[in-house]
Amino acid sequence: MENPRRDRVTRRFVGLCSVYAGDSAPALYQSLWTMLRHQSRPLDRAVGVIEGDLSDDLESVVTAFGEVEWLRIPKVQSKLDFGLPVALNHGLSAMQPHDVVLKIDTDDLYPTGRVALTAEAFETDPDLGIYGGQIDEWTSDYSTFVGSRNVPLAHADIVRYGKRRNPFNGPTVAFCAHTARELGGFAQVGANEDYVLWAHMLHSGVRAQNSPEVLTYMRGGSELVHRRSTARTRKGELEALNAIRKLGFFANGTYVAHVVGKQIVRRLPLKLNLYLYQRLRQGGERPVPGVVALAQKALHEWHS
């Protein structure tokens, strides 16, 4: 699926994000600042897709990051009012065949080595098609560490794990633009569009790897659990699971287990859902104390 002459060309590492009216301006600034102005190895290019009209605060952040190639599209009209797959695919259409796309979630922070570690992985293994890493989760203001989500490192383990749960932490992922486009890009589902694409890539034989390093400091905790428990998200998750089943990545029994498990958990009282969520996160000494300072420094530069 990849170009056989891929080892003779220079890959470019391109950031991709999408912005819409519901985003937080301070969080967007923090995210872009850590990916564009605080990396030991800079991105070669960054593309941002703006969906619909933005608030004045969000427009001020967009203006502040003139190094991003901003593309504007109308607000996406969909049955679940969820335009992220359309926006991401619009950004993918602006990529060159040998670009490696680094997803930028607009409410997370990124450690200074994310681009360097990603570039090293793709430059070391010309056959690599998708790459991610670990995440540390924090409360929305980055004041309290919530836990870590650890995913398997080796390709075979990633494929096995992917039958049970998403084998990648979405905000850490980088992937080959050409491969993703050949497979149709992000599926038009109401949630978990990234899981569908990763499953499609794995099912198509794309080589995968995860780093043992933390590549994203993610905003998690109660607000994230609440968002994932809404009726809209439950319906979107069901669409995503159906899409993965149709790809052939799930057997029927696996699909049923996913549907039953997720639909039950999402309907539990929030406190119980939070408890289960926390049980799946691993605590310990891994979080870096500098995360709080990083978040504060980005905000200070935004206000200065």
Side-chain angles (χ1 to χ4, degrees), residues 18-262:
S18 70
V19 182
Y20 82 115
D23 285 329
S24 158
L28 176 62
Y29 191 97
Q30 288 174 312
S31 176
L32 293 178
W33 185 85
T34 56
M35 274 300 289
L36 296 171
R37 299 176 184 172
H38 201 257
Q39 291 291 314
S40 60
R41 171 172 175 162
L43 289 166
D44 296 308
R45 182 182 173 216
V47 174
V49 182
I50 299 170
E51 180 198 342
D53 297 326
L54 302 180
S55 67
D56 290 343
D57 280 350
L58 284 169
E59 285 288 358
S60 73
V61 177
V62 167
T63 301
F65 287 92
E67 61 265 51
V68 178
E69 298 173 35
W70 295 105
L71 310 175
R72 294 183 183 267
I73 63 173
K75 187 180 187 313
V76 176
Q77 302 297 322
S78 70
K79 57 186 176 182
L80 291 178
D81 193 29
F82 185 70
L84 182 57
V86 173
L88 292 175
N89 286 335
H90 191 79
L92 272 181
S93 69
M95 303 295 170
Q96 297 301 311
H98 298 288
D99 286 346
V100 173
V101 180
L102 286 80
K103 281 190 79 236
I104 303 174
D105 278 19
T106 53
D107 56 357
D108 298 323
L109 299 180
Y110 297 94
T112 186
R114 183 194 173 190
V115 177
L117 286 168
T118 300
E120 180 182 6
F122 278 94
E123 289 167 354
T124 299
D125 183 357
D127 293 319
L128 188 62
I130 181 170
Y131 176 82
Q134 316 307 317
I135 57 172
D136 280 348
E137 290 192 24
W138 296 73
T139 51
S140 60
D141 60 357
Y142 285 100
S143 64
T144 305
F145 175 63
V146 174
S148 300
R149 181 175 188 258
N150 301 324
V151 287
L153 310 184
H155 176 84
D157 295 330
I158 289 169
V159 173
R160 280 193 293 270
Y161 189 86
K163 308 289 185 179
R164 298 186 291 111
R165 297 182 65 199
N166 192 334
F168 295 97
N169 288 313
T172 73
V173 172
F175 57 93
C176 293
H178 174 68
T179 304
R181 283 208 302 253
E182 276 199 330
L183 295 175
F186 291 92
Q188 303 304 307
V189 293
N192 291 0
E193 72 292 332
D194 57 346
Y195 191 7
V196 181
L197 180 56
W198 314 151
H200 201 171
M201 295 178 81
L202 292 173
H203 192 60
S204 300
V206 174
R207 184 171 177 81
Q209 179 185 336
N210 276 316
S211 169
E213 300 296 325
V214 172
L215 298 186
T216 301
Y217 306 128
M218 182 177 173
R219 293 179 202 263
S222 59
E223 292 183 16
L224 178 63
V225 174
H226 177 71
R227 289 200 305 270
R228 290 179 175 176
S229 300
T230 63
R232 196 211 78 175
T233 300
R234 291 198 303 269
K235 186 173 181 181
E237 282 185 330
L238 186 58
E239 289 183 344
L241 291 172
N242 279 323
I244 295 173
R245 178 182 59 83
K246 289 177 182 177
L247 292 172
F249 188 67
F250 287 162
N252 286 336
T254 303
Y255 166 76
V256 171
H258 270 281
V259 171
V260 173
K262 282 186 169 58

